[in-house]
Amino acid sequence: MSSHVQKENKMGTMPVPKLLFQMSIPMMLSMLVQALYNVIDSIFVAQINENALTAVSLAFPLQNLMISIAVGTGVGVNALLSRSLGEKNMKAVQDTARNGLFLSVASFIVFALFSLIIIKPFLSFQTNDSQILEYGTTYLRIVTLLSAGVFMGIMLERLLQATGRTFYTMLSQGFGAIINIIFDPILIFGLLGFPRMGVAGAATATVLGQFCGMFLSLTLNIRYNKDININMKSFRPNRNIISGIYAVGVPSIIMQAIGSVMTFGMNKILIQFTSTATAVFGVYFKLNSFIFMPIFGLNNGMVPIVAYNYGARNKQRLMHTVKLSIITAVCVMMVGIALFMLIPGQLLGLFNASDEMLTIGIPALRIIALSFLFAGYCIVVGSVFQALGNGVYSLIVSVCRQLLVILPAAALLAKVGGLHAVWWAIPIAELASVTLSTFYFRRIYKETIIPLSE
């Protein structure tokens, strides 16, 4: 029996709970390792001084934009490739994979050139502190100009995910994160005979981890991903396939890039009070990755199953997968609420928090945690939209949540109630998100899912 037929049977016949968790648990574990890296990276940077932590927080929106482009393109490839597998169109599978790799290289080149122009004005618009500017410029130049590892690595991981080989994705992501964690203290503080590089060391360790993960992912695709042949010999870009990738991918890119705009806007609002408030917001993003990353891992396992069974017109398996994913995501979020409510001081203490950071951060984390009540549901439903080719719904929800609600609410609350009130903008925005997500999910259920059984 061929590996392709085995894949079909697995995606189309294996009991949904077993299939979902077999696909998702490796991804959830690898995402937890990624979250661990994010936190440890900032913990080490915070040991330099609070300005270094603030600089990395201010750099985050541009760094996140880069990752948004890589992940969004990968989402488009993943959905198109999984659907082609469900339709048993193997030529489309191969063409989609090769065009995806081409787009990842092209995206790296464009973004690296773009970053040369934008880094200094981007940081200067947020702060005029010379030390923060120096740290931020150094960090961003390294992670953007050497970003081939993240663009190629994410695409190669998506190819493994789309064919159900999420265990290998866990290996490549975990390997890259562990390399990063090992080299963070070595390069930042100059251990084992290496020079003391400070913030530049944190950026270099990040890039080194990305390249190591990319090379392992490439090796795993070549050796074990028999559904896909990524030999680029005689390759020519296919306009129709690229259009299909971006039909799903562009809304995802914009949706995630909106997060960069939101973070940039929040940083501008918060730094008017004190740079420590910006550092708190940056720490929140690192901490919430422990809660959100497992759900993103769950989504990465869910999307190929939903897309495959959509292609195979199996409504029952599709909906079973969606319901189980929502229940799992809500349970994970409950753990997050408990942590943020019960031990916010200890969480902030991981980042060498000053008394001022604790005073600002403890109530901030408790207020923000209220948004977790609905966030898990919204994240899963947004990925269902993408898997079914309706990424524009996810985009609309994201625009409303992060631009039309969070930023205006934060600006208004800052004027009316001061710094403490600003944090309430995040739970308020999540209420808008859950309302819109439910509205669009009911629509897509009636228009797209119900007809599958006819």
Side-chain angles (χ1 to χ4, degrees):
M1 183 181 289
S2 72
S3 61
H4 173 52
V5 174
Q6 289 173 350
K7 171 67 168 50
E8 281 190 338
N9 289 341
K10 174 181 175 179
M11 299 288 272
T13 63
M14 182 183 285
V16 168
K18 182 180 178 181
L19 176 62
L20 177 63
F21 292 115
Q22 187 184 89
M23 295 275 285
S24 299
I25 286 175
M27 292 305 307
M28 294 171 80
L29 291 174
S30 66
M31 289 290 191
L32 275 173
V33 175
Q34 290 283 316
L36 180 66
Y37 136 66
N38 285 334
V39 170
I40 290 177
D41 195 49
S42 290
I43 288 172
F44 284 129
V45 168
Q47 304 307 310
I48 301 172
N49 56 45
E50 192 174 291
N51 276 350
L53 182 61
T54 301
V56 173
S57 299
L58 294 180
F60 175 77
L62 191 59
Q63 190 178 12
N64 188 59
L65 177 61
M66 171 180 71
I67 295 170
S68 299
I69 294 168
V71 170
T73 306
V75 166
V77 170
N78 200 340
L80 194 62
L81 201 152
S82 296
R83 196 179 310 157
S84 297
L85 281 170
E87 294 166 348
K88 306 175 187 177
N89 186 344
M90 295 311 295
K91 184 179 185 304
V93 169
Q94 310 307 336
D95 289 344
T96 300
R98 291 168 184 163
N99 278 275
L101 290 170
F102 164 75
L103 292 175
S104 68
V105 175
S107 298
F108 153 65
I109 294 169
V110 171
F111 194 87
L113 294 173
F114 169 75
S115 70
L116 287 172
I117 303 167
I118 199 69
I119 287 175
K120 279 197 173 181
F122 169 77
L123 290 169
S124 298
F125 189 73
Q126 297 180 83
T127 182
N128 55 11
D129 185 297
S130 59
Q131 188 179 52
I132 294 175
L133 285 171
E134 181 186 348
Y135 284 149
T137 301
T138 299
Y139 185 85
L140 278 175
R141 277 183 176 160
I142 294 170
V143 298
T144 55
L145 293 177
L146 298 175
S147 59
V150 71
F151 279 101
M152 289 290 292
I154 287 172
M155 182 57 63
L156 289 163
E157 287 164 1
R158 289 289 175 165
L159 297 184
L160 290 166
Q161 290 169 27
T163 57
R165 294 172 173 87
T166 52
F167 175 76
Y168 296 127
T169 306
M170 178 187 73
L171 294 181
S172 63
Q173 287 189 338
F175 179 62
I178 290 167
I179 291 294
N180 196 327
I181 290 168
I182 291 171
F183 278 92
D184 255 333
I186 292 173
L187 298 180
I188 290 172
F189 304 116
L191 307 179
L192 304 177
F194 283 84
R196 184 184 179 93
M197 297 173 67
V199 170
T204 303
T206 296
V207 168
L208 183 62
Q210 290 167 350
F211 272 100
C212 288
M214 179 199 77
F215 284 122
L216 179 58
S217 190
L218 176 63
T219 302
L220 292 170
N221 266 289
I222 291 170
R223 292 194 62 179
Y224 300 112
N225 200 352
K226 302 304 181 185
D227 290 320
I228 294 174
N229 180 355
I230 57 174
N231 187 338
M232 302 294 284
K233 186 178 179 181
S234 73
F235 166 78
R236 294 289 182 275
N238 184 308
R239 183 181 298 178
N240 290 334
I241 289 175
I242 290 173
S243 297
I245 290 170
Y246 281 133
V248 176
V250 166
S252 179
I253 291 170
I254 296 172
M255 183 175 64
Q256 294 184 71
I258 285 165
S260 296
V261 177
M262 183 274 290
T263 307
F264 179 80
M266 285 293 287
N267 284 341
K268 281 287 291 178
I269 292 167
L270 292 169
I271 209 165
Q272 295 175 52
F273 295 98
T274 167
S275 63
T276 302
T278 306
V280 166
F281 193 57
V283 165
Y284 152 68
F285 265 105
K286 301 298 183 180
L287 290 172
N288 86 0
S289 66
F290 266 121
I291 315 303
F292 284 77
M293 282 294 196
I295 296 175
F296 295 144
L298 174 72
N299 281 354
N300 287 339
M302 175 197 72
V303 165
I305 302 172
V306 171
Y308 181 95
N309 285 286
Y310 174 56
R313 301 188 64 81
N314 192 326
K315 174 196 166 191
Q316 183 178 359
R317 287 178 63 81
L318 189 158
M319 284 305 300
H320 192 176
T321 304
V322 172
K323 290 174 183 176
L324 189 57
S325 298
I326 289 172
I327 292 168
T328 305
V330 170
C331 290
V332 171
M333 280 299 181
M334 289 300 170
V335 175
I337 292 171
L339 290 172
F340 273 48
M341 288 291 185
L342 297 176
I343 56 168
Q346 290 88 328
L347 294 175
L348 290 162
L350 295 171
F351 299 85
N352 199 28
S354 62
D355 289 341
E356 184 185 8
M357 184 180 283
L358 289 170
T359 301
I360 295 170
I362 288 174
L365 291 187
R366 285 178 171 152
I367 291 168
I368 292 168
L370 297 174
S371 67
F372 294 177
L373 287 169
F374 309 112
Y377 164 83
C378 293
I379 292 169
V380 170
V381 169
S383 292
V384 172
F385 297 157
Q386 294 167 9
L388 298 178
N390 290 78
V392 69
Y393 289 169
S394 299
L395 174 60
I396 293 169
V397 173
S398 190
V399 168
C400 290
R401 176 184 176 274
Q402 301 194 81
L403 295 186
L404 301 183
V405 180
I406 281 187
L407 291 181
L412 179 62
L413 290 167
K415 289 182 178 179
V416 173
L419 176 58
H420 178 76
V422 171
W423 311 109
W424 284 99
I426 297 173
I428 290 169
E430 208 61 56
L431 283 172
S433 178
V434 72
T435 303
L436 264 181
S437 295
T438 302
F439 171 77
Y440 282 123
F441 184 71
R442 291 183 67 177
R443 175 183 287 182
I444 206 170
Y445 181 76
K446 291 177 182 176
E447 295 179 355
T448 303
I449 298 174
I450 287 177
L452 295 179
S453 58
E454 294 174 357

